Amino acid sequence: MTIPVNIAALGARAAAMIEQLGAIPSAPDTLTRFFLTPEHRRAADLVARWMGEAGLSVSEDALGTVRGAWHPAGPEAPRLLIGSHIDTVANAGKYDGTLGVILGILAVEAVARGGLTPAYGIDVLAFGDEEGTRFPTTLSSSAACAGVFLPASLQARDGDGISLGEALLAYGKNPDDIAASAYDPSRVLAYIEAHIEQGPVLEAEGAPLGVVTAIAGASRLSVTVTGEAGHAGTVPMRLRRDALSGAAEMALAVERIARAGADGMVATVGRVHVEPGSVNVIPARVVFTVDLRSASDASRRAALTRFEADAHRIAEQRGLGVVISAFHEVATVPCYRDIQRRLGDAVASLGLRAPLLPSGAGHDGQAMAKLCPVGMLFVRCKGGISHNPAEYASPEDMGMAAAALIRFIERFQQPPSDGGTSGAQT
């Protein structure tokens, strides 16, 4: 059956709910909502209320994930999972994460009240630790649902010295119950997440919605370049061993590699520390970071190999030392081709074109992919701005995203199949 949709009404409701959640910050005029804080509690309670009003059965697991369940075929039937997160970065925008939770609630409410009776159930999930802003952990909530939570994470401490385990207890949770939060993989069909793009591609293409091909893998490096300090006025240029000049050339090298790379490759040098850091002293030591991402693990590894070779060549030419160490590695998560197709068909049913594009940002889908097939729907955001108070998606675009999810659910009668592969189309 086809559920009637009113895109304008869905968009208006999404916008109103976005404003309500956005009014739960830790300080006036600044949206900061960290994991397991009083602000997180208030946001979780509001989401739980919305789920209940939408006709869902509400529960909350040991990592604080709010779950809204709609099981028309009974509690033993397989489930489709739809979700995102309600925690934020510091001084955040209102749409990152929270939009996906809101769209999931609106979509399931519409199909439930429209009389759809599928042979599967749906759980809408509101995760709490996607951003990793309070503790040196990330995706702990979705990892618990996927059954891959690492108990050692309970020892991670925030800036005030409070451990994750202690914060859970203060939040009213029992860490001993975390294992029970995991879904049974045999009873989960797929995980779907709607999210603002956090980039400018959809806006540039004039498309309100897009289908994600893969969540990019990421490598982070710490690069230490050593030279020799000297007086800024007395050492001739030809005799200098300037660590900063060498580091700058290496930074340009990684930029050049990423520009020539495929699969949506991007690279960023985001942090630079210079010693001794005096205006009249030649830099003797520089430590900088590299964040390199790609929707293909093979292309990312090849780029890292090229950068390492270039860095050592630059160091040798300049008489410098260089040490490169990796401190973060996340594999690419391909979105299932069959789910990409189904999401694309749902968007097309609204008379829209859905470009295929990778996600350069991380998402809860990275953890959920260890449980089941995953797919993502991107929503256009103004200027591609995210993690910023200027973050914005129009009510019309949000309404179309809710309608696309409704159409997806209507057509989702069988488990996704990739013919033996989950590779992304890029």
Side-chain angles (χ1 to χ4, degrees), residues 67-325:
R67 306 185 185 204
W70 178 62
H71 297 161
E76 299 305 314
R79 303 177 190 182
L80 171 66
L81 309 179
I82 301 175
S84 196
H85 62 97
I86 57 174
D87 66 319
T88 75
V89 297
N91 196 25
K94 300 174 183 177
Y95 298 79
D96 179 4
T98 57
L99 176 59
V101 176
I102 288 167
L103 292 177
I105 294 171
L106 292 176
V108 177
E109 178 186 40
V111 297
R113 294 184 176 173
L116 188 71
T117 56
Y120 64 91
I122 302 177
D123 285 3
V124 179
L125 306 175
F127 300 118
D129 185 32
E130 193 266 359
E131 298 291 4
T133 44
R134 180 179 177 187
F135 300 97
T137 62
T138 187
L139 306 182
S140 64
S141 300
S142 46
C145 289
V148 294
F149 177 81
L150 298 176
S153 300
L154 294 170
Q155 304 306 316
R157 296 186 180 274
D158 66 10
D160 295 322
I162 300 170
S163 72
L164 175 56
E166 292 166 344
L168 283 170
L169 290 170
Y171 198 74
K173 302 299 177 182
N174 184 350
D176 293 338
D177 295 335
I178 291 174
S181 302
Y183 280 94
D184 178 351
S186 68
R187 293 172 56 197
V188 175
L189 298 173
Y191 169 77
I192 305 299
E193 183 167 355
H195 204 284
I196 58 168
E197 181 196 351
Q198 299 180 280
V201 175
L202 292 178
E203 188 174 66
E205 296 199 15
L209 305 176
V211 174
V212 178
T213 57
I215 303 173
S219 297
R220 292 178 182 172
L221 311 176
S222 177
V223 183
T224 302
V225 184
T226 54
E228 185 175 69
H231 196 291
T234 62
V235 180
M237 297 301 292
R238 62 185 175 84
L239 298 178
R240 295 187 178 205
R241 296 172 57 217
D242 187 329
L244 181 56
S245 294
E249 189 173 351
M250 294 174 196
L252 291 174
V254 76
E255 180 188 52
R256 182 178 64 253
I257 290 167
R259 284 180 179 274
D263 304 306
M265 185 177 295
V266 292
T268 303
V269 173
R271 184 182 299 164
V272 180
H273 175 74
V274 182
E275 297 176 4
S278 297
V279 67
N280 61 343
V281 179
I282 299 165
R285 182 175 182 269
V286 173
V287 180
F288 67 94
T289 58
V290 173
D291 181 307
L292 192 143
R293 307 185 188 207
S294 171
S296 161
D297 287 336
S299 65
R300 179 168 49 87
R301 286 192 291 266
L304 293 171
T305 299
R306 287 196 297 273
F307 171 67
E308 185 171 0
D310 282 358
H312 283 285
R313 174 184 54 78
I314 292 166
E316 183 176 359
Q317 291 173 345
R318 290 177 169 273
L320 304 171
V322 63
V323 175
I324 302 172
S325 58

